[in-house]
Amino acid sequence: MKMKIAKLPGDGIGPEVVEQAVKAVDAICEKYGHEAQYGFAYVGACAIERYGDAYPDVTHQVCLDSDAVLFGAVGDPKYDNDPTSKVRPEQGLLAMRKKLGLYANLRPVETFPSLVDKSPLKTSLVDGADFMCVRELTGGMYFGEKGRKDGGDTAYDTNIYHRYEVERILKLSFEYALRRRRKLTVVDKANVLESSRLWRQVAQEMAPKYPEVETDYMYVDNAAMQLIRCPKYFDVLVTENTFGDILTDEASCITGSMGLLASASIGEHTSVFEPIHGSYPQAAGKNIANPVATILSAAMMFEYAFGLMEEGRAIRKAVTASIEQGIVTEDLAAEGEKRYSTSEVGDWIASYIKNN
């Protein structure tokens, strides 16, 4: 198969971890007889510096012309520390999601047996945890009307949702639940927020169409507690944009490192595959960042963008082997054990794919 992949490394550690994912992709292509063609584009702070726009038209066109997007991260302290800045790296990520119609973010959370001791939670709680977070990605406060008034002393962000936005993300979530253990948890704040009451109303209307799926409802504050108290309770969890952003980062603690969690953003146009961690500027250029989440995002790319399930499994198998054999970066290395660099982990995983 020939595949066109847009490569958007972005900022901070983005270029380093994307480079390792490309090694895995190339190893898969060599082993299975595929051909990957890459198109490079700027996004985030590096795009602002070059174009004055965090997601310029030229980058959008590269994405549209591709079958999938492999994305790193955006963010730079230069902009974080300047509250008056009119253009920010994160605006590039939001613009990409909006322009590509990426309404659903899929974040699988699964523990590695050899790393359960890395989690801040008890082993008995996290061992065997395996669930999918589905986050609505193009609605809510992130995209609603926002601004300042009263001379700048009053700020507002509007949390707005339309029925069609809720229906399409719930439909996707029900369908994923059917492929898994057939349980869907809808997370909202329907006791307080009108937008959440719409979510719950639509979910209750749709649930009878999926009688094989056990559907339950949970307030977001309770969901935050249950993710820590009993993560194995969940199978598929779906929620709105802001809640999803917070809950999925919380869920990363279950695995022991944000450097292990991949994601896929899918929707109307080209899908984007990215690690859930940020740009981690403190580690940029030091060759110490964990590339596993980005490599696993490449596995999701083969599965979700190209339907190549065996190829995705081959990457996961290589990642699992690297972790079991201790070929890991400093965030996962056991005390007294060798700490491998970003590139060494990437090279080892690519080699494993080719030879196994």
Side-chain angles (χ1 to χ4, degrees), residues 158-208:
T158 307
N159 192 41
I160 184 169
Y161 270 104
H162 304 282
R163 173 178 281 270
Y164 80 89
E165 294 175 305
V166 181
E167 286 178 340
R168 67 184 180 183
I169 194 74
L170 286 173
K171 180 177 184 294
L172 189 73
S173 300
F174 277 114
E175 290 171 352
Y176 277 115
L178 285 172
R179 301 180 198 177
R180 292 175 53 91
R181 300 192 302 276
R182 304 195 171 192
K183 181 177 181 181
L184 177 65
T185 302
V186 181
V187 175
D188 59 35
K189 192 62 176 171
N191 57 335
V192 176
L193 301 177
E194 193 62 39
S195 57
S196 282
R197 284 190 277 274
L198 174 63
W199 271 74
R200 185 164 296 206
Q201 176 187 341
V202 174
Q204 289 174 341
E205 292 171 359
M206 294 179 67

Side-chain angles (χ1 to χ4, degrees), residues 60 63-64 67 98-102 265-271:
H60 183 56
C63 294
L64 288 177
D67 301 313
K98 199 69 173 179
K99 290 184 177 181
L100 292 177
L102 304 175
S265 297
I266 62 177
E268 299 169 3
H269 300 294
T270 315
S271 296

